[in-house]
Short mmCIF file of all heavy atoms in Angstrom, two decimals:
data_model
loop_
_atom_site.label_atom_id
_atom_site.label_comp_id
_atom_site.label_asym_id
_atom_site.label_seq_id
_atom_site.Cartn_x
_atom_site.Cartn_y
_atom_site.Cartn_z
N CYS A 22 7.57 8.61 -19.32
CA CYS A 22 6.40 7.96 -18.80
C CYS A 22 5.80 7.02 -19.86
O CYS A 22 5.98 7.24 -21.07
CB CYS A 22 5.34 8.95 -18.31
SG CYS A 22 4.48 9.86 -19.60
N LEU A 74 -33.04 3.25 -26.42
CA LEU A 74 -33.68 2.02 -26.94
C LEU A 74 -34.45 2.31 -28.23
O LEU A 74 -34.50 1.44 -29.11
CB LEU A 74 -34.64 1.43 -25.88
CG LEU A 74 -33.97 0.83 -24.62
CD1 LEU A 74 -35.03 0.39 -23.64
CD2 LEU A 74 -33.06 -0.34 -25.00
N TRP A 101 -26.32 7.58 -5.75
CA TRP A 101 -27.38 6.90 -5.02
C TRP A 101 -28.57 6.62 -5.92
O TRP A 101 -28.78 7.33 -6.93
CB TRP A 101 -27.82 7.69 -3.78
CG TRP A 101 -28.23 9.11 -4.01
CD1 TRP A 101 -29.47 9.60 -4.31
CD2 TRP A 101 -27.38 10.27 -3.97
NE1 TRP A 101 -29.45 10.95 -4.44
CE2 TRP A 101 -28.19 11.39 -4.26
CE3 TRP A 101 -26.02 10.46 -3.73
CZ2 TRP A 101 -27.67 12.68 -4.28
CZ3 TRP A 101 -25.52 11.73 -3.78
CH2 TRP A 101 -26.32 12.83 -4.03
N VAL A 106 -40.36 9.09 -12.52
CA VAL A 106 -41.76 8.99 -12.81
C VAL A 106 -42.00 9.47 -14.25
O VAL A 106 -41.64 10.64 -14.59
CB VAL A 106 -42.60 9.83 -11.83
CG1 VAL A 106 -44.07 9.82 -12.20
CG2 VAL A 106 -42.36 9.36 -10.41
N MET A 113 -51.24 12.03 -26.05
CA MET A 113 -49.88 12.59 -26.32
C MET A 113 -49.46 12.29 -27.76
O MET A 113 -49.65 11.20 -28.30
CB MET A 113 -48.87 11.98 -25.33
CG MET A 113 -49.18 12.30 -23.87
SD MET A 113 -48.17 11.41 -22.67
CE MET A 113 -46.66 12.33 -22.75
N MET A 132 -50.57 4.67 -36.07
CA MET A 132 -49.82 5.03 -34.85
C MET A 132 -48.82 6.17 -35.09
O MET A 132 -48.04 6.52 -34.22
CB MET A 132 -49.01 3.83 -34.34
CG MET A 132 -49.86 2.78 -33.63
SD MET A 132 -50.53 3.45 -32.08
CE MET A 132 -51.41 2.03 -31.49
N THR A 161 -42.76 0.01 -11.87
CA THR A 161 -44.13 -0.14 -11.38
C THR A 161 -45.04 0.89 -12.06
O THR A 161 -44.53 1.84 -12.65
CB THR A 161 -44.20 0.05 -9.87
OG1 THR A 161 -43.72 1.37 -9.53
CG2 THR A 161 -43.35 -0.99 -9.13
N ALA A 168 -51.56 9.09 -6.02
CA ALA A 168 -50.18 9.15 -5.53
C ALA A 168 -49.71 10.56 -5.37
O ALA A 168 -50.09 11.46 -6.11
CB ALA A 168 -49.27 8.38 -6.49
N PHE A 178 -52.89 14.14 -16.47
CA PHE A 178 -51.97 13.00 -16.27
C PHE A 178 -52.49 12.13 -15.13
O PHE A 178 -52.34 12.49 -13.96
CB PHE A 178 -50.56 13.51 -15.99
CG PHE A 178 -49.95 14.26 -17.11
CD1 PHE A 178 -49.83 15.65 -17.05
CD2 PHE A 178 -49.54 13.61 -18.26
CE1 PHE A 178 -49.29 16.36 -18.11
CE2 PHE A 178 -48.97 14.32 -19.32
CZ PHE A 178 -48.87 15.70 -19.25
N ARG A 193 -17.34 15.72 -8.78
CA ARG A 193 -16.61 14.98 -7.72
C ARG A 193 -16.15 13.62 -8.20
O ARG A 193 -15.08 13.15 -7.77
CB ARG A 193 -17.50 14.86 -6.46
CG ARG A 193 -17.73 16.17 -5.73
CD ARG A 193 -17.97 16.00 -4.25
NE ARG A 193 -16.86 15.32 -3.57
CZ ARG A 193 -15.68 15.85 -3.29
NH1 ARG A 193 -15.43 17.12 -3.65
NH2 ARG A 193 -14.74 15.16 -2.68
N LEU A 211 -2.34 20.04 -13.45
CA LEU A 211 -3.48 20.92 -13.78
C LEU A 211 -2.99 22.26 -14.23
O LEU A 211 -1.84 22.68 -13.95
CB LEU A 211 -4.39 21.04 -12.56
CG LEU A 211 -5.00 19.73 -12.06
CD1 LEU A 211 -6.04 19.99 -10.98
CD2 LEU A 211 -5.57 18.93 -13.21
N GLY A 223 10.78 7.06 -31.76
CA GLY A 223 9.92 6.06 -31.21
C GLY A 223 9.15 6.45 -30.00
O GLY A 223 8.44 5.64 -29.36
N ALA A 337 -41.01 26.07 -21.00
CA ALA A 337 -42.23 25.73 -21.68
C ALA A 337 -42.43 24.20 -21.66
O ALA A 337 -43.58 23.70 -21.47
CB ALA A 337 -42.21 26.23 -23.12
N VAL A 359 -20.66 20.96 -23.52
CA VAL A 359 -20.60 20.49 -24.86
C VAL A 359 -20.22 19.04 -24.86
O VAL A 359 -19.13 18.67 -24.35
CB VAL A 359 -19.56 21.29 -25.72
CG1 VAL A 359 -19.42 20.72 -27.10
CG2 VAL A 359 -19.97 22.75 -25.77
N THR A 374 -25.09 9.38 -31.92
CA THR A 374 -24.85 8.31 -30.97
C THR A 374 -24.13 8.84 -29.71
O THR A 374 -23.27 9.72 -29.77
CB THR A 374 -24.02 7.18 -31.58
OG1 THR A 374 -23.82 6.14 -30.63
CG2 THR A 374 -22.66 7.66 -32.07
N ASP A 376 -22.60 6.50 -27.86
CA ASP A 376 -21.60 5.47 -27.67
C ASP A 376 -20.21 6.06 -27.87
O ASP A 376 -20.06 7.10 -28.48
CB ASP A 376 -21.84 4.33 -28.60
CG ASP A 376 -21.40 3.00 -28.04
OD1 ASP A 376 -20.65 2.97 -27.05
OD2 ASP A 376 -21.78 1.93 -28.61
N PHE A 393 -13.32 9.31 -28.60
CA PHE A 393 -14.47 10.03 -29.12
C PHE A 393 -15.72 9.62 -28.37
O PHE A 393 -15.97 8.41 -28.19
CB PHE A 393 -14.66 9.79 -30.62
CG PHE A 393 -13.49 10.09 -31.49
CD1 PHE A 393 -12.53 9.14 -31.79
CD2 PHE A 393 -13.32 11.37 -31.98
CE1 PHE A 393 -11.47 9.43 -32.60
CE2 PHE A 393 -12.22 11.69 -32.83
CZ PHE A 393 -11.30 10.69 -33.11
N ARG A 402 -16.04 1.58 -18.10
CA ARG A 402 -15.97 0.58 -19.17
C ARG A 402 -15.18 1.15 -20.37
O ARG A 402 -14.45 0.43 -21.03
CB ARG A 402 -17.37 0.14 -19.62
CG ARG A 402 -18.04 -0.77 -18.64
CD ARG A 402 -17.39 -2.15 -18.60
NE ARG A 402 -17.58 -2.84 -19.89
CZ ARG A 402 -16.59 -3.25 -20.68
NH1 ARG A 402 -15.32 -3.03 -20.37
NH2 ARG A 402 -16.85 -3.84 -21.82
N ALA A 407 -10.26 1.14 -23.45
CA ALA A 407 -9.02 1.83 -23.81
C ALA A 407 -7.80 1.03 -23.44
O ALA A 407 -6.84 0.93 -24.21
CB ALA A 407 -8.97 3.26 -23.16
N PRO A 419 -1.41 -6.41 -16.20
CA PRO A 419 -2.45 -7.08 -15.50
C PRO A 419 -3.84 -6.80 -16.16
O PRO A 419 -3.96 -5.84 -16.91
CB PRO A 419 -2.42 -6.47 -14.11
CG PRO A 419 -1.06 -5.86 -13.98
CD PRO A 419 -0.67 -5.46 -15.37
N ALA A 463 -20.27 14.45 0.18
CA ALA A 463 -19.08 14.90 -0.56
C ALA A 463 -17.88 14.00 -0.29
O ALA A 463 -17.17 13.61 -1.23
CB ALA A 463 -18.74 16.33 -0.19
N VAL A 510 -16.81 26.22 -5.25
CA VAL A 510 -18.27 26.34 -5.07
C VAL A 510 -19.09 25.87 -6.27
O VAL A 510 -20.30 25.79 -6.20
CB VAL A 510 -18.64 27.82 -4.74
CG1 VAL A 510 -17.88 28.30 -3.51
CG2 VAL A 510 -18.41 28.75 -5.92
N GLU A 523 -20.47 38.48 -2.79
CA GLU A 523 -19.52 38.97 -1.86
C GLU A 523 -18.80 37.85 -1.11
O GLU A 523 -17.60 37.91 -0.86
CB GLU A 523 -20.19 39.93 -0.84
CG GLU A 523 -20.70 41.24 -1.44
CD GLU A 523 -21.99 41.05 -2.26
OE1 GLU A 523 -22.65 39.98 -2.11
OE2 GLU A 523 -22.34 41.95 -3.04
#
Side-chain angles (χ1 to χ4, degrees):
C22 72
L74 290 175
W101 54 91
V106 177
M113 298 170 78
M132 285 293 182
T161 59
F178 296 105
R193 290 208 58 74
L211 299 188
V359 176
T374 182
D376 210 346
F393 303 92
R402 285 290 294 120
V510 305
E523 292 76 17

